[in-house]
Amino acid sequence: MKLKLRLSKILRRKKSATKSSTKKRDEEQLAKAIKAQVKQLIEMNRLTDHDGDIKYNFTDGTLVKALYVDSLAQTQLSKGLLSIARFEDTYALIPSAVANKIAERDQEAIIQNNTVSDEALNEDDPYADFVVPDDLMW
């Protein structure tokens, strides 16, 4: 009788151990699949023709990093049309729509994702011709 109880306890332990290992393996496979999707989205949508001589600074955690971009990419980054993503050992410029899709899967892959500013939305602004300079002193 005691032998049957011991055997049944051992079998239950083995079943629970196999269930937990299967669950852990499934979670690892899901994480691996998500990482592959993020990498594929960045590879397919990164913009490579925006290399320029303007230094664009951004923060990656507590570090300040820089990318050299052209003037078009700089304005698109500041308006929120482009975003910066972590890609392998470097950074990539991607459209913000793609960055939002990536952020749903892996938030840490996106370094900078500005929202579209009111300037981009209000193209009919009557004061658009009266730009306030950045170095204005009061």
Side-chain angles (χ1 to χ4, degrees):
M1 183 85 168
K2 288 185 179 182
L3 184 61
K4 286 184 180 181
L5 287 173
R6 285 185 186 170
L7 286 174
S8 64
K9 285 182 182 180
I10 291 172
L11 288 174
R12 275 190 244 131
R13 286 182 192 158
K14 284 185 179 181
K15 285 182 183 178
S16 65
T18 57
K19 285 182 184 178
S20 65
S21 67
T22 304
K23 184 178 178 182
K24 187 176 181 180
R25 188 171 359 122
D26 290 343
E27 289 174 358
E28 289 173 355
Q29 287 176 347
L30 180 63
K32 195 174 186 179
I34 288 172
K35 190 175 273 193
Q37 287 177 353
V38 167
K39 183 178 178 182
Q40 183 179 16
L41 280 169
I42 294 173
E43 281 179 350
M44 291 174 57
N45 294 292
R46 71 180 177 154
L47 305 173
T48 57
D49 58 343
H50 286 292
D51 293 334
D53 56 351
I54 299 172
K55 186 177 182 182
Y56 185 82
N57 293 320
F58 60 96
T59 58
D60 183 2
T62 59
L63 302 174
V64 176
K65 299 288 186 168
L67 278 177
Y68 286 93
V69 296
D70 59 4
S71 61
L72 177 64
Q74 181 187 23
T75 56
Q76 289 179 341
L77 279 164
S78 64
K79 288 183 178 180
L81 299 174
L82 289 180
S83 297
I84 300 173
R86 189 178 285 123
F87 181 65
E88 295 174 353
D89 294 336
T90 186
Y91 302 98
L93 293 177
I94 57 173
S96 290
V98 175
N100 292 334
K101 291 179 183 178
I102 292 172
E104 291 174 0
R105 292 168 174 81
D106 183 11
Q107 185 66 37
E108 294 189 9
I110 303 300
I111 302 299
Q112 180 179 344
N113 188 7
N114 295 336
T115 58
V116 176
S117 64
D118 291 335
E119 290 179 19
L121 295 176
N122 295 330
E123 293 179 7
D124 299 333
D125 186 9
Y127 297 104
D129 295 334
F130 305 101
V131 178
V132 178
D134 292 336
D135 59 347
L136 181 66
M137 299 295 288
W138 295 99

